[in-house]
Amino acid sequence: MIEVANVSIRYGRGIDAVDAVEDVSFRVENGGSLAFIGPSGCGKTTLLFGIAGLLAPIEGEILVDGTPVTGTRREIALILQNAGLLPWKTVWQNANLSLMLRHEYPQRTAETVLRDLRLLDVRGRFPAELSEGMKRRVGIARALSMSPSVMLMDEPLASLDTLTRERIQDLFLTLWKEHRFSLVLVTHDIEEAAFLGETIAVLSERPAQIKEIVDNPGMGDVDYRTTAAFRETLGRLREVLER
Ligand SMILES: Nc1ncnc2c1ncn2[C@@H]1O[C@H](COP(=O)(O)OP(=O)(O)O)[C@@H](O)[C@H]1O
Ligand SMILES: [Mg+2]
């Protein structure tokens, strides 16, 4: 379980201090998902870095599985905006980079992960030989290769065309249901938030505060986008965002 209680995060100090996150509280049950949506520059990435143990809050507490997060942890995976691939390494090497950095060897699961992400056939290619959608999938494979219990995603599909984005969202939904990691997704795309978030927290302008947590009953199926419930959630999100 992820428990975030009254967390504030600030960059710098004194008159140059920038408050990026203010008094944010939420929980995500094991296997649950929460999407954050908010305007550009409001503090979404900062909040995610806090949960990942990359930034320390000035106030509040972040617990994962009951233990305070004080630094990066093996069971907490982070997928960044650009997949962060190393150009001189192959798909296989990039997907297993997190493991290799820990001097661990890819196992059968690594192959399964690549197959699940439809990357097994291109395992020998270099990033320059991949489409943008493939690169993002390698980033997801890298995170999954660690068998994380918590998956943090920072706009992982930004700037992809709609069709590619939706295909990867479908794939990701399937992976989430199968692997049952807890998901925290940050996005500025309301459809992505409504498709992947069991609940959706709408953030204010900087410093990010939770304006409202919107329930999203009915999510969890690839056909969800075509339903009235989905359109209703989108409407609700627009309303809260504009308020
Ligand atoms: N290292 C930093 N030092 C000072 N301010 C920063 C730093 N990183 C980000 N910020 C500021 O904090 C705010 C939130 O940034 P960020 O979390 O990246 O927003 P988002 O991901 O929602 O676009 C922005 O105004 C940004 O300019
Ligand atoms: Mg960001």
Side-chain angles (χ1 to χ4, degrees):
M1 183 158 66
I2 306 166
E3 295 166 276
V4 171
N6 308 106
V7 161
S8 299
I9 304 179
R10 173 181 294 165
Y11 291 105
R13 52 176 66 193
I15 53 161
D16 294 327
V18 176
D19 286 308
V21 173
E22 195 169 292
D23 197 20
V24 166
S25 302
F26 63 89
R27 327 166 137 225
V28 184
E29 301 292 331
N30 288 338
S33 89
L34 172 64
F36 278 97
I37 187 153
S40 173
C42 76
K44 299 184 294 300
T45 297
T46 305
L47 178 60
L48 220 49
F49 281 5
I51 307 169
L54 294 167
L55 286 175
I58 51 157
E59 265 175 73
E61 197 173 38
I62 301 171
L63 303 178
V64 168
D65 298 332
T67 318
V69 173
T70 52
T72 56
R73 270 162 54 179
R74 194 207 152 93
E75 72 271 24
I76 306 176
L78 175 66
I79 303 180
L80 297 173
Q81 256 158 307
N82 58 17
L85 306 188
L86 303 178
W88 62 91
K89 291 198 181 285
T90 64
V91 166
W92 174 260
Q93 291 166 330
N94 268 295
N96 290 298
L97 189 68
S98 304
L99 282 174
M100 287 168 167
L101 286 173
R102 287 168 192 262
H103 305 286
E104 292 175 36
Y105 290 95
Q107 298 159 353
R108 279 187 57 79
T109 47
E111 204 173 304
T112 311
V113 165
L114 281 190
R115 184 173 299 118
D116 285 348
L117 285 159
R118 323 242 186 286
L119 289 167
L120 204 55
D121 294 343
V122 297
R123 59 195 279 172
R125 285 202 209 167
F126 291 91
E129 304 167 299
L130 303 175
S131 69
E132 206 45 51
M134 284 174 176
K135 288 184 199 167
R136 308 300 173 95
R137 280 184 280 140
V138 177
I140 297 172
R142 178 186 291 168
L144 280 174
S145 72
M146 303 294 286
S147 309
S149 61
V150 170
M151 181 76 87
L152 308 174
M153 300 175 94
D154 189 8
E155 313 211 27
L157 307 179
S159 75
L160 290 178
D161 65 273
T162 309
L163 209 64
T164 307
R165 194 163 59 223
E166 290 189 353
R167 278 215 199 99
I168 301 179
Q169 286 166 356
D170 291 352
L171 196 57
F172 195 79
L173 184 74
T174 312
L175 291 168
W176 171 66
K177 291 204 282 191
E178 201 175 295
H179 294 259
R180 278 292 155 192
F181 44 77
S182 311
L183 171 66
V184 178
L185 167 78
V186 151
T187 180
H188 62 248
D189 182 293
I190 60 169
E191 302 208 359
E192 187 161 289
F195 186 70
L196 290 173
E198 280 183 317
T199 50
I200 302 144
V202 182
L203 297 173
S204 66
E205 299 277 349
R206 187 179 70 78
Q209 286 180 296
I210 296 182
K211 280 171 122 177
E212 189 167 320
I213 294 189
V214 175
D215 281 328
N216 189 23
M219 80 60 83
D221 199 277
V222 278
D223 295 329
Y224 185 49
R225 288 189 199 87
T226 62
T227 65
F230 181 70
R231 283 190 297 279
E232 210 167 289
T233 297
L234 294 185
R236 183 82 196 112
L237 292 176
R238 283 203 186 91
E239 207 178 290
V240 181
L241 276 167
E242 279 159 24
R243 189 169 70 204

